[in-house]
Amino acid sequence: MIAHFQADAGFPLDAALDTTALVLILIGALLCLTAAIGLLRFHDVPTRLHAATKPQVFGFLLICLAIALSVRSWAAVAFLVPIALIQLATAPLSAHMVGRQAYRNRTLDEDAMYVDELRDKDTDPR
């Protein structure tokens, strides 16, 4: 069906998929770069966690999608889907653990916190 579509419309499907993959890789790389810059520029743990999780994971997913479009095989998709799912599962979990440890170490800026839900659960007086 793809070959039929190419022959009838004169539309180069391979070139369109390659261009889409290139654009997705560029956007994903830009998001990963902004995550790295955010890690270097932000001053406290919560903002660094934000930079380390959201743009990095979204950029990684875009790069995985671009690889799948570029390779165009089900074996590559079967390899990339578990990697993406593991990334989606581990990034928030690791961010939560780092944030919780920063709270216990008292390295968070208390003035910047609007709500402290862990204050009552903390056994050490502040």
Side-chain angles (χ1 to χ4, degrees):
M1 182 170 175
I2 292 173
H4 180 70
F5 176 73
Q6 287 177 345
D8 285 345
F11 186 72
L13 184 61
D14 288 339
L17 289 175
D18 287 340
T19 303
T20 303
L22 177 66
V23 170
L24 289 175
I25 285 178
L26 288 175
I27 293 171
L30 184 65
L31 285 171
C32 291
L33 178 66
T34 57
I37 291 171
L39 283 175
L40 294 174
R41 297 281 301 175
F42 291 149
H43 66 283
D44 61 346
V45 174
T47 55
R48 285 183 178 167
L49 287 177
H50 178 78
T53 53
K54 292 179 178 76
Q56 189 272 333
V57 169
F58 189 60
F60 177 77
L61 292 177
L62 287 179
I63 290 173
C64 285
L65 181 62
I67 291 171
L69 282 177
S70 177
V71 175
R72 295 182 198 114
S73 74
W74 288 110
V77 172
F79 185 73
L80 291 171
V81 166
I83 293 172
L85 291 176
I86 289 170
Q87 179 71 27
L88 286 173
T90 57
L93 181 65
S94 62
H96 173 76
M97 297 304 289
V98 170
R100 188 74 180 236
Q101 189 61 37
Y103 183 83
R104 288 182 181 154
N105 290 340
R106 292 171 173 48
T107 55
L108 294 177
D109 184 15
E110 292 182 18
D111 296 334
M113 293 176 29
Y114 294 110
V115 177
D116 187 4
E117 295 176 346
L118 298 175
R119 181 177 294 272
D120 296 336
K121 298 177 184 175
D122 193 11
T123 57
D124 294 335
R126 290 200 159 217

